[in-house]
Amino acid sequence: QVQLVESGGGLVQAGGSLRLSCKVSGIIFSNYGMGWFRQGPGKEREFIALISWSGATTHYADSVKDRFTISRDNAKNTVWLQMNGLKPEDTADYYCAAGRRLTAVGTADSFFAHWGQGIQVTVSS
C-alpha cells in the first residue's frame, strides 16, 4: 500500500518560512519522480514543483520560483518543500504526489499516480 504523509504545515506571517515534508512508503522511492501541488480556497489544484527520481532535475511554477525549493533524500524516502518569503496568496492545502515507476514527471496532475492527504498552510498578512 502506497502512503504519502505530509507534515510541517501551519500558520505563518507574510515573509516567513515553512518546510513541508512528505514521507513515502510502499514504493521504491528512488524510482519515482515527486511533486508538490496546492489548492487554494475556491481555486483549482495547481502545480508547484517537481523533482526527478535522482534529484538531478527540478522545475517550479513561476509563482514560486526563487522562493520555494524542492529536495529529496532517497535514503529517507522523503521529499521536502522549503518555502521562503511566503505571501498571503500562498495560503492553500499542499499535496505531495508520486509519479509512476521510472517514468518522468511533468506539471500536469496526470503524471502523478499517488497522492498525500494534503496539509494546510495559512499565511497571514
Side-chain angles (χ1 to χ4, degrees), residues 5-121:
V5 180
E6 300 100 336
S7 61
L11 173 64
V12 64
Q13 288 189 330
S17 298
L18 281 175
R19 189 192 197 203
L20 302 183
S21 299
C22 176
K23 177 75 171 181
V24 181
S25 60
I27 57 174
I28 301 174
F29 182 69
S30 59
N31 287 173
Y32 288 74
M34 298 295 298
W36 285 95
F37 289 74
R38 70 184 181 189
Q39 186 167 15
K43 299 181 181 179
E44 294 188 355
R45 186 165 60 190
E46 64 172 340
F47 164 79
I48 294 301
L50 64 83
I51 187 165
S52 61
W53 60 73
S54 69
T57 301
T58 59
H59 180 68
Y60 299 91
D62 288 343
S63 59
V64 305
K65 199 176 294 183
D66 299 327
R67 297 189 299 125
F68 290 11
T69 302
I70 188 171
S71 61
R72 67 188 296 159
D73 185 334
N74 287 345
K76 295 182 178 179
N77 284 17
T78 301
V79 60
W80 294 277
L81 184 69
Q82 177 67 45
M83 306 186 293
N84 298 329
L86 282 161
K87 305 175 182 179
E89 51 263 43
D90 293 318
T91 294
D93 291 326
Y94 283 71
Y95 297 86
C96 171
R100 294 176 175 81
R101 184 175 177 270
L102 297 176
T103 303
V105 290
T107 60
D109 290 16
S110 57
F111 282 99
F112 296 88
H114 309 285
W115 294 82
Q117 80 285 355
I119 192 161
Q120 189 172 51
V121 171

